[in-house]
Amino acid sequence: MGTVAGTDTAEAVTGHPAGALAEVRRPRRRPPGEATAAGWLFVLPALVLIGVFFFLPVLASLALSFTDFDIYAVGDADNARWVGVRNYETLFRSPLFWSALRNTFYFALVGGPLSIAASLGAALLLNAKLVRFRTFFRTVYFAPFVTTLVAVAIVWRYLYHARYGLINHALGFVGIAPVDWLGDQAWAMPAIILMAVWKNFGYNMLILIAGLQAIPAELYEAAELDGASPLRRFVHVTVPMLAPTLLFVAVITMIGYFQLFAEPYVMTQGGPLRATTSVVLLMYEEGFRWWRMGYAAALAFVLFAIILVATLLQLRLRRAEA
């Protein structure tokens, strides 16, 4: 009786039979192919732009690395000849390439960890509850990252000046002789590393602060109740919980530091005696100073292979630890 009454009520209110009402309310299911086609239609413009302005130039550069394309081929493409792997053979026999590769690894393997350590230290300090004006200090520490590199380089060149620099002036107070920071082979790369760490650590700092704030406070409270010291809480709570963020920071830092170019280009032009010439700076010189485009493209793909191997190695080590 109750079912019949309910049916009659529905018909009286809507003017339609109860079965028809249920049919109206049921959403129409779209075929799977229709939903997939709609998704591809939405992403198609972006894919076209990426293909035209990224993948096509990459493929063209790869083809260029197997030719002797130079300034004469710019005027007439018929002057470009297919030379196979000769550019790569010349590259691996070049002492200048190995010197630039050594400088690049030096910069990445020393400057990268220093930058991450500085970022992590700043993030821990600014995430502490006792620190006041945290927003102000975050802005101050992040400001060098968004400052134009040319302006930063001019300031640091004055700081490094052998005669009038503020750093040598400060060292003179403790009895240390002036150092020719940018003119000495032994000190030029460390000087560039110090400037790069100061300029870039603020970006990683913000990422690490976000990672720290995502760690549940209950974990620290439980560790404190168990009698764990601040150092043990950092080692056994902060580091494991921050590991995915640290991996991301390490990968993007390594990729960025292997592409060292602007700092030596602006500050030392690759000197003294090629002590700060990086692979990217060498690639720029070969391609845009001497117009050996094929050789420069070969340099670019060798560097790409090195970065790819280093990235995969980091990811593999992370999986092994997990």
Side-chain angles (χ1 to χ4, degrees):
M1 293 293 290
T3 306
V4 174
T7 303
D8 293 340
T9 304
E11 291 182 9
V13 172
T14 62
H16 298 282
L21 182 63
E23 245 182 66
V24 171
R25 286 179 176 174
R26 188 181 300 120
R28 185 177 69 87
R29 291 185 179 180
R30 291 186 177 182
E34 184 180 343
T36 304
W40 280 108
L41 190 61
F42 277 112
V43 301
L44 184 61
L47 292 178
V48 170
L49 290 175
I50 293 172
V52 171
F53 294 104
F54 179 76
F55 287 110
L56 282 181
V58 168
L59 293 176
S61 298
L62 180 60
L64 202 66
S65 69
F66 295 103
T67 68
D68 64 349
F69 194 95
D70 55 15
I71 192 171
Y72 299 104
V74 174
D76 186 359
D78 293 334
N79 291 324
R81 295 170 297 176
W82 184 268
V83 296
V85 296
R86 192 175 73 187
N87 286 328
Y88 293 92
E89 293 175 352
T90 304
L91 181 66
F92 290 121
R93 289 199 301 263
S94 170
L96 183 56
F97 165 72
W98 292 108
S99 174
L101 186 63
R102 183 175 59 251
N103 294 335
T104 302
F105 268 96
Y106 179 22
F107 181 83
L109 296 180
V110 176
L114 283 176
S115 180
I116 295 172
S119 303
L120 181 58
L124 290 170
L125 286 174
L126 294 182
N127 196 54
K129 296 179 180 179
L130 298 178
V131 175
R132 302 177 63 187
F133 309 112
R134 282 184 284 185
T135 303
F136 170 75
F137 284 112
R138 287 177 191 174
T139 305
V140 170
Y141 291 156
F142 185 71
F145 179 76
V146 296
T147 304
T148 305
L149 179 62
V150 175
V152 171
I154 290 173
V155 173
W156 277 85
R157 286 187 69 175
Y158 276 109
L159 291 175
Y160 284 140
H161 196 280
R163 186 172 180 181
Y164 305 109
L166 185 61
I167 295 177
N168 280 337
H169 188 66
L171 292 176
F173 280 110
V174 294
I176 299 177
V179 178
D180 188 3
W181 296 101
L182 300 178
D184 191 323
Q185 283 182 277
W187 288 107
M189 186 59 80
I192 289 178
I193 289 173
L194 180 60
M195 187 202 77
V197 170
W198 174 84
K199 186 181 187 308
N200 297 315
F201 85 97
Y203 177 74
N204 291 338
M205 176 198 71
L206 292 184
I207 297 175
L208 291 171
I209 287 175
L212 288 170
Q213 292 177 347
I215 300 176
E218 293 82 2
L219 296 178
Y220 291 107
E221 293 171 1
E224 190 173 0
L225 289 174
D226 289 340
S229 64
L231 179 60
R232 285 185 174 273
R233 292 199 295 270
F234 173 75
V235 173
H236 297 290
V237 178
T238 303
V239 173
M241 297 298 294
L242 203 60
T245 307
L246 284 172
L247 175 64
F248 173 75
V249 167
V251 169
I252 63 171
T253 301
M254 181 271 301
I255 292 173
Y257 274 50
F258 265 110
Q259 299 178 65
L260 171 67
F261 169 72
E263 290 85 349
Y265 177 73
V266 174
M267 297 190 71
T268 62
Q269 291 77 49
L273 298 177
R274 293 292 186 176
T276 58
T277 298
S278 65
V279 174
V280 179
L281 181 57
L282 179 61
M283 179 179 65
Y284 166 80
E285 291 178 349
E286 292 291 339
F288 296 100
R289 180 176 294 178
W290 310 119
W291 288 95
R292 292 194 283 259
M293 292 291 186
Y295 187 78
L299 270 168
F301 278 93
V302 169
L303 180 61
F304 166 75
I306 293 171
I307 293 175
L308 179 62
V309 170
T311 302
L312 294 176
L313 180 62
Q314 285 184 317
L315 295 175
R316 186 178 182 84
L317 290 175
R318 171 58 187 158
R319 290 195 193 99
E321 291 175 1

